[in-house]
Amino acid sequence: MAQQVRTGRRYLRAFVSGFFIAVPVTLTVFDRVACVARVEGASMQPSLNPEVPGDVVLLNRWSVRNHQVQRGDIVSVLSPKNPQQKIIKRVIGLEGDFIRTLSYKNRYVRIPEGHFWIEGDHHGHSLDSNNFGPVSVGLLHGRASHIIWPPSRWQRIKASLPPNRGPVDAEEEEG
């Protein structure tokens, strides 16, 4: 009986010590490397969420640790309107680019240093830079790299710009 108690305690001790190592390691991985997110709403249709219940994407946090994104990337950012909410949008322009806006207060905007321009693919159904302007790279949370659910939509997400979106020439902006 005493032997069983010692064995039970040994297993409990091993479990507890393993738990206190596994939890911080797991949290660090989710904080620094990758996490998953459910895409809700119609703002990224048809690229993401073409049907209910919607897509679940893998957010690569490691690739954006230095705030490096490219035009066409689909990114997760903290909402400039509600910091408690994360939104998923496509990067249309980077710092220094001139952007022809769709419904912003100015028809053309030069993206300031440390900012980028994001838009949903489903214009008119998206709260994006056309509503709140350029977004600080400090709000960047992750880059959507893969659709992981549902299984019928498993795929790598490639960076691409929608037709007629992206930077314009400075001469076009002035004209």
Side-chain angles (χ1 to χ4, degrees):
M1 180 72 159
Q3 179 66 25
Q4 289 177 336
V5 170
R6 277 184 284 202
T7 303
R9 286 184 183 157
R10 193 174 330 129
Y11 284 127
L12 180 61
R13 198 173 308 125
F15 172 79
V16 169
S17 65
F19 178 82
F20 284 110
I21 292 171
V23 169
V25 168
T26 302
L27 291 175
T28 299
V29 167
F30 280 136
D31 185 50
R32 300 288 180 193
V33 179
C35 61
V36 296
R38 177 176 295 282
V39 181
E40 297 174 346
S43 72
M44 287 303 295
Q45 289 178 342
S47 303
L48 297 176
N49 233 21
E51 52 196 52
V52 176
D55 292 331
V56 175
V57 296
L58 180 67
L59 295 176
N60 184 330
R61 296 194 27 88
W62 186 258
S63 70
V64 299
R65 69 190 180 282
N66 295 323
H67 308 295
Q68 298 296 314
V69 294
Q70 63 182 6
R71 288 177 206 91
D73 280 347
I74 295 177
V75 296
S76 170
V77 299
L78 294 176
S79 170
K81 293 285 189 192
N82 178 4
Q84 303 301 315
Q85 180 183 27
K86 292 182 183 92
I87 58 175
I88 294 182
K89 306 293 176 196
R90 187 177 303 276
V91 175
I92 301 298
L94 304 172
E95 64 181 46
D97 288 348
F98 284 95
I99 297 293
R100 181 180 45 80
T101 69
L102 299 175
S103 59
Y104 192 57
K105 60 186 175 186
N106 301 328
R107 184 70 178 136
Y108 291 92
V109 172
R110 184 169 194 268
I111 310 302
E113 185 176 329
H115 290 73
F116 55 99
W117 190 267
I118 58 173
E119 292 179 355
D121 288 354
H122 195 179
H123 302 295
H125 292 12
S126 179
L127 186 63
D128 55 29
S129 287
N130 287 295
N131 303 98
F132 43 71
V135 176
S136 170
V137 296
L139 297 178
L140 189 59
H141 177 252
R143 181 181 53 80
S145 62
H146 295 81
I147 297 174
I148 59 174
W149 194 261
S152 62
R153 293 198 20 90
W154 281 351
Q155 61 185 295
R156 184 170 186 270
I157 299 173
K158 296 182 177 96
S160 65
L161 283 173
N164 302 319
R165 297 308 302 139
V168 296
D169 294 332
E171 296 80 38
E172 183 182 329
E173 186 270 335
E174 292 167 359

